[in-house]
């Protein structure tokens, strides 16, 4: 198996939608970070207000303190068990006086008097955001220091951030899906000229090499079409030159070869009873084989012309060709017969089918010994087409000949005077009609060549 090659549509979708997906993911991450930052600012502001409110409940009296912290205020701070607010009052800082938990002290920084200090810490492995406010009280010198701390877990901050992200990314996801649909539709519309061009090339026969019209195609596709049209013109010129050469060569060879054969026949009559007779016979055999080759080349050139399909009676045509070849079969002491329906209308090129059938009969007569039975059959097949076959009980093919029998210039034996083009012409005609030709041995000996026609 070859290496997998994705289609142009798939590559465009990947290169257009993959960056969009990456940007959407980066946007989601950035949005989450921004939401966390804003949620943290809101929580910090709430903690600062809480620590100031709690500090107002601590009133200095002389060298002592009066802490007026009603139970209702305490219940408000502790109302959420999943994200409870922790508070602590200490004097001197760090020595617990009041609170619902021991809060860590700020590390490396000492709060400025009357200025809240915000910092992050952990309590029992849980992240915590804490604000500390230092106050001074008492009549002594220097005054004593009181520290009020309020802490809150980060669960609320993360919940707020997730809600913000969800509210922001849901519309962005919908827009991304809509954009993906628009990109996919745009790619399909943009590649439509290439699809039409592919359809034109796939449905084009080798004999229909007219330029491709793509007037509505984009500029890039028009350049491709022009290059393909130039290639089609070059191929068309090459095919025309090949056909012209075959036609000219076959026509130019047939006339002198016919004259040569006539002169050899006269020479054979005049040289009867002399040692020249065997040599003249070899010359005549070579000339006849060359004439046959010229005829086959001309036939091969004719098979390259467009197939002109018309309705005709295929069964009647097969019987007529069989009658035409009957005298030659009788001269070779062979039995040529037909099996099949009396009438079968079929769409195809009658002249080319006649040539294919003539090549089959000629091949069977040429390579079979006297006494061979040759049978033509025309049958209906289950797919709705027809099967035209010729079967003989001759010597058949050599063991390795079945895979080469339709190759040009291949011969299973050097006898018979053939040139190895007959069956190649038959398969070419069958394929140009949308069918095929297959060869199979017949038991105990013989050969069957079948044309499967649509």
């Amino acid at each position: 198996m070859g290496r997998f090659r994705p289609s142009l549509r798939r590559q465009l979708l990947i290169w257009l939608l993959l960056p969009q997906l990456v940007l959407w993911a980066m946007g989601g991450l950035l949005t989450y970070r921004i939401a966390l930052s804003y949620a943290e600012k809101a929580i910090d502001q709430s903690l600062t207000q809480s620590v100031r409110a709690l500090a107002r409940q601590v009133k200095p009296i002389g060298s002592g303190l009066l802490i007026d912290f009603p139970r209702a205020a305490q219940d408000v701070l502790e109302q959420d068990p999943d994200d409870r607010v922790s508070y602590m009052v200490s004097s001197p800082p760090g020595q617990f006086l009041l609170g619902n938990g021991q809060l860590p002290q700020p590390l490396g920084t000492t709060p400025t008097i009357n200025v809240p200090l915000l910092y992050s810490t952990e309590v029992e492995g849980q992240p915590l955001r804490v604000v500390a406010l230092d106050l001074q009280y008492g009549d002594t010198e220097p005054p004593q220091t009181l520290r009020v701390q309020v802490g809150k877990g980060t669960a609320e901050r993360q919940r707020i951030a997730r809600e913000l992200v969800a509210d922001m990314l849901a519309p962005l996801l919908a827009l991304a899906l809509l954009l993906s649909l628009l990109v996919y539709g745009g790619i399909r519309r943009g590649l439509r000229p290439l699809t039409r061009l592919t359809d034109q090339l796939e449905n084009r026969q080798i004999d229909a090499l007219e330029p491709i019209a793509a007037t509505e195609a984009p500029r890039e596709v028009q350049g491709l079409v022009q290059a393909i049209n130039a290639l089609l013109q070059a191929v068309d010129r090459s095919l025309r030159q090949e056909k012209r050469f075959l036609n000219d060569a076959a026509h130019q060879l047939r006339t002198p070869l016919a004259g040569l054969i006539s002169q050899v026949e006269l020479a054979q009559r005049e040289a009867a009873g002399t040692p020249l007779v065997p040599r003249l016979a070899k010359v005549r055999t070579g000339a006849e084989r060359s004439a046959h080759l010229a005829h086959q080349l001309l036939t091969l050139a004719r098979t390259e012309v467009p197939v002109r399909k018309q309705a005709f009676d295929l069964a009647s045509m097969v019987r007529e060709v069989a009658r035409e070849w009957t005298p030659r079969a009788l001269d070779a002491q062979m039995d040529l017969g037909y099996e099949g329906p009396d009438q079968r209308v079929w769409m195809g090129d009658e002249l080319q089918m006649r040539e294919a059938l003539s090549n089959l009969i000629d091949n069977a007569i040429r390579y079979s010994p006297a006494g061979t039975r040759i049978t033509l059959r025309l049958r209906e097949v289950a797919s709705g087409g027809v099967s035209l076959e010729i079967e003989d009980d001759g010597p058949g093919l050599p063991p390795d000949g079945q895979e080469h029998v339709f190759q040009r210039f291949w011969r299973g034996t050097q006898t018979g005077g053939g040139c190895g083009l007959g069956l190649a012409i038959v398969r070419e005609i069958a394929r140009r009609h949308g069918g095929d030709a297959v060869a199979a041995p017949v038991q105990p000996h013989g050969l069957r060549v079948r044309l499967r026609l649509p």
Side-chain angles (χ1 to χ4, degrees):
M1 296 180 61
R3 188 180 62 176
F4 173 73
R5 294 180 177 87
S7 64
L8 179 59
R9 179 185 288 112
R10 185 175 301 174
Q11 292 187 54
L12 289 174
L13 284 174
I14 291 175
W15 286 109
L16 289 175
L17 297 183
L18 184 60
Q20 174 186 327
L21 179 62
V22 173
L23 290 176
W24 189 85
M26 292 179 61
L29 179 61
L30 183 60
T31 302
Y32 182 71
R33 303 288 294 183
I34 294 175
L36 278 178
S37 175
Y38 278 98
E40 184 174 314
K41 289 180 181 180
I43 293 176
D44 288 350
Q45 185 177 3
S46 174
L47 288 175
T48 302
Q49 294 175 354
S50 298
V51 77
R52 290 188 182 278
L54 182 58
R56 286 195 293 268
Q57 306 304 318
V58 181
K59 302 177 177 60
I61 300 177
S63 297
L65 294 171
L66 174 63
I67 301 177
D68 184 12
F69 194 39
R71 184 65 185 175
Q74 186 176 355
D75 291 341
V76 170
L77 290 175
E78 300 176 355
Q79 64 180 350
D80 189 355
D82 295 331
D83 195 24
R84 189 178 62 172
V85 175
S86 300
Y87 62 95
M88 172 180 168
V89 178
S90 58
S91 179
Q95 184 174 348
F96 183 85
L97 292 180
L98 176 68
N100 61 357
Q102 186 77 28
L103 293 177
Q105 301 303 310
L107 298 177
T109 304
T110 301
T112 304
I113 300 301
N114 293 325
V115 178
L117 174 64
L118 292 158
Y119 61 97
S120 297
T121 185
E122 287 187 1
V123 175
E124 298 179 355
Q126 299 297 325
L128 201 68
R129 187 70 173 169
V130 181
V131 59
L133 177 64
D134 284 2
L135 303 174
Q136 289 183 340
Y137 69 94
D139 299 332
T140 61
E141 289 294 337
Q144 299 184 59
T145 302
L146 172 70
R147 177 169 293 174
V148 181
Q149 294 173 276
V150 178
K152 186 176 178 65
T154 60
E156 180 69 12
R157 181 187 67 166
Q158 294 176 354
R159 183 186 64 82
I160 294 174
R162 286 194 298 267
E163 291 179 355
L164 286 175
V165 170
D167 292 341
M168 294 178 65
L169 291 186
L172 291 178
L173 179 60
L175 291 176
L177 293 177
L178 179 60
L179 178 60
S180 301
L181 292 176
L182 292 176
V183 168
Y184 180 76
I187 291 176
R188 288 195 59 181
R189 183 177 180 85
L191 295 179
R192 194 172 299 166
L194 290 179
T195 304
R196 288 197 296 265
L197 178 61
T198 302
D199 293 338
Q200 293 183 39
L201 292 176
E202 286 181 347
N203 298 326
R204 181 160 298 208
Q205 301 294 332
I206 190 63
D207 50 28
L209 299 179
E210 295 83 4
I212 300 173
T215 55
E216 299 179 359
R219 183 181 305 169
E220 293 79 4
V221 178
Q222 287 183 355
L224 176 62
V225 170
Q226 292 175 2
I228 293 177
N229 285 337
L231 179 61
L232 290 177
Q233 291 177 0
V235 173
D236 186 56
R237 285 194 301 268
S238 177
L239 290 177
R240 290 180 183 275
Q241 291 174 359
E242 180 183 355
K243 293 176 185 177
R244 189 179 302 112
F245 170 77
L246 289 175
N247 281 317
D248 294 344
H251 280 296
Q252 294 298 325
L253 286 174
R254 289 203 313 184
T255 300
L257 287 174
L260 177 60
I261 294 173
S262 299
Q263 294 299 321
V264 172
E265 290 177 351
L266 292 175
Q268 283 179 317
R269 294 193 190 104
E270 294 176 357
T274 67
L276 293 177
V277 173
R279 297 183 180 180
L280 291 173
K282 291 183 179 180
V283 173
R284 180 177 178 179
T285 300
E288 289 176 346
R289 183 178 176 185
S290 298
H292 180 65
L293 176 60
H295 174 73
Q296 294 291 71
L297 288 174
L298 182 59
T299 301
L300 188 62
R302 289 198 188 106
T303 61
E304 300 295 333
V305 300
V307 175
R308 296 178 177 85
K309 292 186 177 182
Q310 294 179 346
F312 69 96
D313 191 345
L314 182 60
S316 177
M317 185 271 292
V318 174
R319 291 196 303 271
E320 183 178 343
V321 173
R323 284 194 296 267
E324 293 173 357
W325 282 85
T326 298
R328 182 176 167 185
L330 292 176
D331 292 341
Q333 301 179 5
M334 298 181 186
D335 182 13
L336 176 61
Y338 167 75
E339 297 178 1
D342 294 334
Q343 186 178 10
R344 176 59 166 88
V345 178
W346 186 71
M347 290 290 296
D349 192 319
E350 184 175 1
L351 292 177
Q352 291 196 14
M353 291 306 301
R354 280 179 176 271
E355 190 63 42
L357 188 57
S358 296
N359 275 277
L360 288 174
I361 299 175
D362 176 70
N363 191 76
I365 294 176
R366 188 179 295 273
Y367 295 105
S368 299
T372 299
R373 298 185 59 180
I374 303 172
T375 304
L376 297 173
R377 293 190 183 93
L378 184 63
R379 297 177 178 177
E380 300 284 346
V381 295
S383 60
V386 294
S387 172
L388 175 61
E389 63 183 43
I390 182 170
E391 179 181 319
D392 64 70
D393 56 359
L397 290 172
D400 60 341
Q402 188 169 342
E403 60 184 34
H404 303 290
V405 66
F406 292 104
Q407 294 179 2
R408 294 185 180 185
F409 301 107
W410 182 86
R411 299 172 63 196
T413 176
Q414 299 301 317
T415 62
C419 57
L421 284 175
L423 292 182
I425 293 173
V426 170
R427 169 171 277 187
E428 182 67 22
I429 292 176
R431 288 182 172 177
R432 291 179 68 80
H433 281 82
D436 201 358
V438 293
V442 177
Q443 297 300 330
H445 53 80
L447 179 68
R448 180 189 301 115
V449 179
R450 176 180 296 129
L451 272 68
R452 296 180 295 200
L453 303 174

